[in-house]
């Protein structure tokens, strides 16, 4: 310890600050080692947050969600795109279609149910079921037929009307309201039908809305019975099927207004959206706590339904719900209500004397969800009635007066009779 | 205070008191220099640091602190209106377990039935706890309002509606019959299928269609989100284990599921009540079809060998090791529910046992 030559030269073994020996080469790496631990912790945290296992798992999962077929019209898998918002059948064929008769325009056949072979069932299918699977060949065939005869042209355009959908080049000026009408070539003459359709188109043009018109007879495959069109009440079912088809043809519209063929829009300047569809204009005219079966039914519309949530708007006569003129909102609930309303079990239910009117009454009485989305409005708004033979207690509530928005003559049965009303009101409106 | 004035107290001001306190503390410290501040003493001094201002505040503003305390109690311990409440986030999925099915006044419950019920409930409780799901056990005893021939076994719809009201924030509701057992409780519904719905479900019946329902109906738009997840067994739709999402669609379906005009016409054919009604709605109504997704049966509803006995050679129905849920469907009709339940309970325990838990 004490070397001979050192004398008093004591030194601390480790110097203050600068020692005479250099620091070991790894001395400064202590700091770096700490950095490494931090890095490792950081990497683990990142690993944890980004969870590469899920990414790896994703590699093994299919990236393509399965493809499902697109929606299609009622009687066919094909659509015919139409760029004008006025969709109506060839009214000029009225006479030809009458000559052809409905039996030539549909396909009827009889089947026996596998479960009940003793019962014979009549089925009605659209001629579209006979289409060639290849659309190009079918088109060629139809073009050829159309050139050959007027009758075949009428027949082909009758069957193809179901496929027509509105597909504009861009959705900028998409019509917000669509006026839907089903017309019967066996009730009205060609001249009368021209006036009826022209009136809808005029109104739609005034406010850049859309028009969707179909033949009554086109919906025989849905009704599945020829007798339905012969009965005044049962033929009302056509309205619902026509409405559903319109909702398919105009997928981006806001509202659909079914307005029956027995009526005219009298005041073309009234914009129905401002008039009654906007929440602020609908709110004051909604009839709250109104009995579904007037005058004193047990089930009433809700007191606090919000105008914004209304999906179905209709009117009442003195004794029941009417569907000459009703409005449906184009959203999923509106479509659901429409489809549920024309369910086959309602269509065939014998205890619905007024067809879809009774069905709607039933739906509103039993299903509070739909009742909460429905609104009854005064009849003068969209269903002013021609003052008919039936005496009403309060004619001022129901009957058309000059200056009303629309007029309807739902009471008439015979075509000739109805055309007289049409004549009178066409003169009045022009 | 007034009476205090009579005594000749040396310290009349609070400040003076504090001063002496401080002096005393200093004094004791100087007097005992070796005194080490023990751990407990330092903790208690820290606590005192926080408590003292609180007590001082409470003494100073007595009325205010009473009001605050009342509000806190009301907020935390009650659910009265007009007071903000602290709530834990509501569960994303609620499991609805139908217990006591068909029970009530008609018969005694046997010890086996009690045991099955206990096992099933404990299993769901454990599962819900592990994944933070809600669980509600619904009593399905025979009630008078369902005693009419037409209303039999229609409680399912009402219970679903009731549960949706009970958990207003929850998105998915998973209905489970009593005779089910979650075999792999570590799998969450999200990772199992909820987060990858498009890839796990099928929506058209082209590939598997035991009832031969129409595969294509007009206007159906499969771009819609799935709001109901069900399975198909050998006899058609199976509602022993299904899920429903809260939406206007499900609200409407629950409302129209039972319709008197339809049921009057069909109640002779609809043996399985709400199941047949749903099948009919599915086969005729596009709006129902476009929101329903199907899972393969074994995904949430695997069958034991006794069920679907006429399709016993088809492996797609029957439980394989490590399937998620087993549904002992129909075990009350001539099979031994308790035996099956005990078997699958033991099997699940075996599968869930970890190698390091040698003592269990």
């Amino acid at each position: 310890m004490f070397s001979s030559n050192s004398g008093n030269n004591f030194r601390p073994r480790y110097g203050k600050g600068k020692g005479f020996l250099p620091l070991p080469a790894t001395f400064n790496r202590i700091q770096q080692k700490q950095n490494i631990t931090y890095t490792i912790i950081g990497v683990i945290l990142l690993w944890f947050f980004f969870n590469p296992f899920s990414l790896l798992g994703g590699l093994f999962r299919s990236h393509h969600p399965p493809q499902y077929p697109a929606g299609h019209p009622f009687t066919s898998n094909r659509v015919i795109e139409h760029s004008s918002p006025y969709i109506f059948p060839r009214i000029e064929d009225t006479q030809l279609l009458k000559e052809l008769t409905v039996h030539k325009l549909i396909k009827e056949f009889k089947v026996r149910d596998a479960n009940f072979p003793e019962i014979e069932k009549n089925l009605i299918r659209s001629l579209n079921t006979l289409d060639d699977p290849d659309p190009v060949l079918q088109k060629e065939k139809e073009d050829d037929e159309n050139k050959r005869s007027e009758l075949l042209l009428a027949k082909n355009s009758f069957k193809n009307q179901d496929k027509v959908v509105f597909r504009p080049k861009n959705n900028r000026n998409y019509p917000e309201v669509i006026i839907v009408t089903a017309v019967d070539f066996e009730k009205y003459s060609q001249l009368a039908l021209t006036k009826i359709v022209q009136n809808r188109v005029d109104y739609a043009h005034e406010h850049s809305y859309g028009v969707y018109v179909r033949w009554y007879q086109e919906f025989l495959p849905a009704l599945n019975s020829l007798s339905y069109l012969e009965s005044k009440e049962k033929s009302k079912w056509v309205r619902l099927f026509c409405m559903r088809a319109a909702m398919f043809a105009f997928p981006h519209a806001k509202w659909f207004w079914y307005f029956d063929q027995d009526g005219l829009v009298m005041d073309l300047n009234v914009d129905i959206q401002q008039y009654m569809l906007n929440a602020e204009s609908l709110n004051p005219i909604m009839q709250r706590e109104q009995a579904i079966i007037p005058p004193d039914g047990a089930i009433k519309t809700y007191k606090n339904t919000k105008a914004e949530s209304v999906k179905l708007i209709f009117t009442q006569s003195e004794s029941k719900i009417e569907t000459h003129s009703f409005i449906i909102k184009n959203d999923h609930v509106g479509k659901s209500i429409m489809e549920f309303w024309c369910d086959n079990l309602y269509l065939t239910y014998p205890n619905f004397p007024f067809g879809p009117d009774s069905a709607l009454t039933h739906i509103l009485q039993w299903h509070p969800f739909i009742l909460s989305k429905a609104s009854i409005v005064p009849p003068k708004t969209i269903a002013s009635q021609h003052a008919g033979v039936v005496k009403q207690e309060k004619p001022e509530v129901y009957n058309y007066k000059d200056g009303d928005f629309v007029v309807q003559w739902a009471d008439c049965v015979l075509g000739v009779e109805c055309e007289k009303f049409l004549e009178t009101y066409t003169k009045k409106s022009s | 205070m007034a009476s205090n004035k009579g005594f000749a107290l040396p310290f009349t001001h609070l400040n003076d008191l504090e001063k002496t306190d401080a002096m005393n503390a200093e004094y004791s410290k100087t007097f005992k220099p070796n005194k080490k501040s023990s751990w407990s003493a330092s903790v208690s001094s820290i606590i005192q640091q926080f408590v003292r201002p609180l007590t001082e505040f409470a003494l100073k503003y007595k009325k205010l602190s009473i009001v605050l305390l009342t509000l806190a109690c009301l907020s935390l311990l009650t659910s009265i209106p007009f007071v903000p409440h602290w709530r834990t986030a509501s569960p994303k999925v609620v499991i609805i377990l139908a217990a006591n099915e068909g029970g009530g006044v008609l018969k005694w419950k046997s010890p086996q039935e009690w045991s099955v019920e206990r096992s099933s409930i404990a299993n769901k409780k454990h599962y819900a706890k592990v994944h933070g799901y809600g669980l509600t056990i619904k009593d399905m005893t025979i009630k008078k309002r369902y005693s009419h021939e037409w209303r039999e076994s229609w409680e399912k719809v009402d219970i679903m509606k009731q549960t949706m009201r009970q958990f207003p924030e929850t998105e998915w509701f998973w209905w489970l019959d009593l005779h089910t057992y979650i075999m792999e409780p570590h799998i969450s519904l999200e990772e199992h299928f909820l987060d990858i719905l498009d890839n796990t479900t099928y929506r058209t019946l082209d590939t598997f269609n035991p009832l031969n329902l129409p595969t294509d109906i007009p206007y159906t738009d499969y771009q819609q989100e799935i709001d109901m997840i069900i399975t198909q067994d050998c006899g058609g739709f199976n509602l022993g284990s299904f899920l429903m999402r809260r939406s206007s669609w499900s609200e409407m379906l629950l409302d129209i599921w039972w319709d008197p005009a339809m049921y009057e016409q069909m109640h002779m054919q609809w043996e399985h009540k709400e199941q047949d009604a749903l099948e009919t709605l599915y086969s005729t109504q596009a709006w129902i079809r476009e929101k329903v997704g199907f899972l393969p049966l074994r995904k949430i509803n695997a069958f034991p060998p006794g069920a679907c006995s006429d399709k016993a050679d088809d492996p797609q129905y029957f439980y394989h090791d490590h399937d998620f849920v087993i549904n002992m469907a129909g075990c009350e009709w001539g099979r031994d529910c308790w035996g099956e339940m005990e078997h699958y309970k033991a099997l699940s325990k075996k599968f869930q046992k970890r190698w390091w838990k040698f003592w269990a």
Side-chain angles (χ1 to χ4, degrees):
Chain A
M1 213 169 174
F2 297 96
S3 59
S4 57
N5 61 348
S6 62
N8 254 346
N9 198 3
F10 293 115
R11 255 179 226 252
R13 193 168 287 186
Y14 302 104
K16 308 164 191 161
K18 285 174 194 168
F20 57 92
L21 283 173
L23 286 169
T26 54
F27 183 81
N28 285 324
R29 285 197 207 147
I30 293 171
Q31 202 61 28
Q32 282 177 346
K33 262 184 194 158
Q34 274 185 339
N35 280 345
I36 285 167
T37 29
Y38 284 131
T39 330
I40 290 170
I41 291 171
V43 166
I44 289 172
L45 277 178
L46 278 178
W47 181 279
F48 181 74
F49 279 119
F50 288 97
N51 193 6
F53 286 127
S54 72
L55 291 178
L56 284 175
L59 287 179
F60 298 106
R61 261 179 237 130
S62 81
H63 287 282
H64 306 286
Q67 293 292 311
Y68 295 110
H72 63 81
F74 194 79
T75 60
S76 171
N77 284 320
R78 280 171 223 155
V79 292
I80 296 170
E81 301 197 344
H82 194 72
S83 60
S84 150
Y86 311 127
I87 297 178
F88 47 85
R90 285 165 56 91
I91 302 296
E92 60 269 35
D93 289 343
T94 309
Q95 200 51 42
L96 290 173
L97 291 172
K98 260 185 209 168
E99 280 168 30
L100 274 168
T101 71
V102 281
H103 299 280
K104 292 270 169 56
L105 295 169
I106 50 167
K107 190 182 146 210
E108 293 167 276
F109 51 96
K110 290 185 168 134
V111 287
R112 283 178 192 278
D113 196 320
N115 298 326
F116 310 99
E118 65 277 8
I119 301 171
E120 199 173 54
K121 280 202 299 188
N122 287 309
L123 286 185
I124 296 178
R125 290 284 174 271
S126 158
L127 291 178
N128 282 324
T129 48
L130 304 175
D131 275 4
D132 196 292
D134 182 358
V136 182
L137 285 181
Q138 177 66 25
K139 181 97 182 16
E140 276 172 18
K141 189 181 147 215
E142 280 176 23
D143 287 345
D144 182 49
E145 284 176 349
N146 294 350
K147 262 179 248 158
R148 261 192 292 146
S149 102
E150 283 285 301
L151 275 179
L152 285 173
L153 171 66
K155 196 171 159 183
N156 278 331
S157 47
F158 176 86
K159 95 182 166 68
N160 282 335
Q161 195 62 37
D162 190 34
K163 303 174 190 167
V164 179
V165 293
F166 175 57
R167 293 282 180 278
K169 287 187 188 69
N170 57 51
N171 283 357
R172 239 180 300 145
N173 294 321
Y174 206 95
E176 293 187 341
V177 180
I178 312 297
I179 301 125
V180 185
T181 304
V183 291
D184 186 352
F185 59 71
E186 288 185 336
K187 185 172 184 183
Y188 285 99
S189 67
Q190 183 182 328
L191 191 69
L193 287 175
T194 315
K195 276 179 195 158
I196 290 169
V197 175
Q198 187 61 50
N199 175 259
R200 281 25 168 204
V201 173
D202 285 346
Y203 177 71
H205 182 75
E206 192 75 22
H207 304 281
S208 43
Y209 291 158
V211 169
Y212 189 81
V213 179
R214 293 282 298 271
W215 293 117
Y216 261 67
Q217 286 75 4
E218 283 180 67
F219 296 99
L220 280 167
L223 301 170
N224 209 10
S225 163
L226 288 172
S227 66
Y228 271 66
L229 286 190
E230 286 150 21
S231 142
K232 183 174 187 283
E233 297 301 332
K234 282 188 169 179
S235 64
K236 286 178 180 173
W237 283 104
V238 165
R239 298 167 178 171
L240 309 190
F241 293 108
C242 186
M243 192 67 153
R244 187 63 193 88
M247 291 176 112
F248 181 75
F250 291 88
H252 303 295
K254 279 188 189 161
W255 294 94
F256 288 89
W257 174 24
Y258 182 84
F259 188 62
D260 207 32
Q261 60 176 352
D262 306 319
L264 281 180
V265 178
M266 296 302 280
D267 189 347
L268 296 184
N269 297 318
V270 176
D271 179 351
I272 191 163
Q273 281 206 89
Q274 277 176 16
Y275 182 52
M276 57 177 295
L277 296 184
N278 295 335
E280 57 270 23
S281 38
L282 179 59
N283 198 34
I285 58 166
M286 283 165 67
Q287 296 193 332
R288 295 161 197 277
E289 297 195 297
Q290 166 79 13
I292 300 298
I293 304 175
D296 49 6
I299 308 289
K300 298 182 166 74
T301 53
Y302 290 116
K303 191 179 173 184
N304 45 9
T305 308
K306 284 195 188 101
E308 293 84 8
S309 66
V310 169
K311 314 286 180 197
L312 168 65
I313 304 171
F314 57 92
T315 62
Q316 283 176 323
S317 65
E318 275 184 330
S319 58
K320 70 184 218 344
I321 286 174
E322 294 292 348
T323 52
H324 310 303
S325 177
F326 64 95
I327 296 169
I328 279 270
K329 186 153 198 187
N330 187 25
D331 61 9
H332 199 265
V333 174
K335 270 185 218 156
S336 308
I337 293 175
M338 228 32 243
E339 277 172 15
F340 181 60
W341 188 3
C342 53
D343 187 276
N344 201 41
L345 287 172
Y346 286 153
L347 182 70
T348 54
Y349 192 54
N351 299 344
F352 284 160
F354 303 107
D357 308 356
S358 305
L360 183 60
T361 313
H362 166 87
I363 290 172
L364 295 175
Q365 282 177 321
W366 283 93
H367 301 299
F369 177 81
I370 300 177
L371 182 58
S372 74
K373 308 280 177 208
S375 167
I376 301 174
V377 294
K380 280 261 191 167
T381 49
I382 49 169
S384 304
Q385 291 299 322
H386 168 78
V389 268
V390 187
K391 276 274 174 287
Q392 279 160 329
E393 276 175 32
K394 283 184 252 164
E396 72 282 1
V397 180
Y398 301 97
N399 289 350
Y400 175 80
K401 199 169 92 270
D402 286 348
D404 282 355
F405 177 33
V406 297
V407 64
Q408 291 195 309
W409 47 92
D411 287 343
C412 76
V413 185
L414 294 171
V416 195
E417 189 190 350
C418 301
E419 282 189 28
K420 266 185 213 149
F421 294 131
L422 176 66
E423 202 58 43
T424 332
Y425 284 107
T426 327
K427 268 184 202 143
K428 260 191 190 176
S429 69
S430 55
Chain B
M1 286 305 278
S3 62
N4 280 352
K5 273 183 181 171
F7 300 96
L9 281 171
F11 312 113
T12 47
H13 293 287
L14 200 66
N15 286 345
D16 293 344
L17 265 171
E18 276 177 353
K19 263 182 204 162
T20 45
D21 263 0
M23 276 162 66
N24 284 341
E26 263 172 41
Y27 175 74
S28 62
K29 258 185 189 165
T30 47
F31 193 65
K32 291 176 182 169
N34 291 330
K35 181 191 168 194
K36 283 178 186 167
S37 58
S38 72
W39 178 78
S40 62
S42 70
V43 167
S44 70
S45 78
I46 288 171
I47 291 174
Q48 276 200 348
Q49 262 183 13
F50 288 101
V51 170
R52 188 169 289 168
L54 274 181
T55 46
E56 272 169 19
F57 178 85
L59 288 172
K60 206 169 174 186
Y61 306 99
K62 285 193 189 74
K63 281 174 193 164
L64 182 64
S65 43
I66 285 172
V67 169
L68 282 178
L69 199 69
T70 321
L71 274 178
C73 286
L74 286 176
S75 170
L76 293 171
L77 306 175
T78 70
S79 60
I80 57 159
F82 309 117
V83 174
H85 296 284
W86 291 99
R87 282 228 180 82
T88 47
S90 56
K92 196 192 163 204
V93 182
V94 165
I95 302 169
I96 306 171
L97 182 65
N100 240 345
E101 210 160 337
V105 293
L106 293 185
K107 63 177 168 68
W108 288 100
K109 217 190 266 186
S110 69
Q112 277 89 352
E113 281 173 291
W114 281 109
S115 160
V116 164
E117 198 170 296
R118 268 200 306 273
S119 309
S120 178
I121 291 173
N123 170 246
K124 272 73 179 191
K125 260 189 185 160
H126 169 68
Y127 182 72
K129 201 179 155 197
V130 167
H131 298 285
Y133 299 150
L135 171 68
T136 171
I137 298 163
K138 294 292 176 188
D139 184 37
M140 300 267 281
T141 41
I142 292 167
K143 294 189 188 77
K144 193 164 179 225
R145 65 171 172 277
Y146 302 112
S147 65
H148 190 275
E149 174 195 4
W150 289 8
R151 293 292 286 174
E152 257 174 44
S153 96
W154 281 92
E155 300 102 315
K156 203 170 267 192
V157 172
D158 288 351
I159 286 177
M160 205 78 187
K161 277 194 229 173
Q162 185 197 350
T163 315
M164 285 195 174
R165 279 198 299 273
Q166 195 181 339
F167 294 88
E169 305 291 322
T170 299
E171 190 184 359
W172 283 100
F173 295 86
W174 184 17
W175 177 280
L176 275 175
D177 277 354
L178 184 66
H179 296 132
T180 53
Y181 201 86
I182 298 169
M183 299 294 282
E184 306 286 321
H186 57 92
I187 301 177
S188 77
L189 291 176
E190 284 86 358
E191 65 174 296
H192 196 43
F193 56 86
L194 276 188
D195 285 350
I196 39 171
L197 263 188
D198 281 342
N199 290 320
T200 45
T201 54
Y202 60 98
R203 301 175 77 169
T204 51
L205 296 179
D206 301 328
T207 44
F208 180 54
N209 190 2
L211 285 179
N212 285 321
L213 298 176
T215 51
D216 171 53
I217 56 174
Y219 307 129
T220 314
D221 168 24
Y222 290 107
Q223 302 302 312
Q224 301 281 340
E225 214 179 7
I226 293 177
D227 275 355
M228 187 180 193
I229 305 170
I230 54 179
T231 54
Q232 292 190 99
D233 63 23
C234 52
F237 293 4
N238 185 304
L239 294 181
S241 165
F242 69 96
L243 289 100
M244 242 178 156
R245 189 207 296 270
R246 170 194 305 284
S247 66
S248 60
W249 179 88
S250 48
E251 208 181 327
M252 182 157 165
L253 171 62
L254 291 174
D255 190 14
I256 61 103
W257 204 328
W258 189 81
D259 180 272
M262 293 186 181
Y263 205 63
E264 186 192 331
Q265 297 174 75
M266 300 304 283
H267 74 283
M268 298 300 278
Q269 281 111 297
W270 287 353
E271 284 170 32
H272 298 104
K273 321 276 175 184
E274 78 282 337
Q275 199 164 298
D276 284 317
L278 183 66
E279 282 161 5
T280 308
L281 287 173
Y282 181 87
S283 53
T284 52
Q285 311 248 325
W287 67 279
I288 300 274
R289 180 171 288 236
E290 60 199 16
K291 294 259 188 181
V292 172
F294 295 96
L295 281 176
L297 189 71
R298 280 176 46 206
K299 201 99 183 169
I300 52 167
N301 209 4
F303 277 6
C308 262
S309 47
D310 44 340
K311 288 276 167 63
D313 50 346
D314 193 344
Q316 65 172 324
Y317 303 119
F318 300 108
Y319 177 80
H320 291 217
D321 288 356
H322 302 293
D323 277 352
F324 181 45
V325 174
I326 182 125
N327 181 1
M328 288 147 257
C331 68
E332 64 270 43
W333 317 112
R335 280 158 41 212
D336 176 14
C337 283
W338 182 76
E340 287 185 15
M341 181 59 95
E342 288 304 304
H343 169 73
Y344 286 106
K345 201 168 131 186
L347 192 65
S348 171
K349 205 175 169 190
K350 189 183 130 202
F351 287 146
Q352 301 314 311
K353 191 183 154 186
R354 295 288 163 256
W355 57 269
W356 63 85
K357 288 198 171 176
F358 52 88
W359 62 88

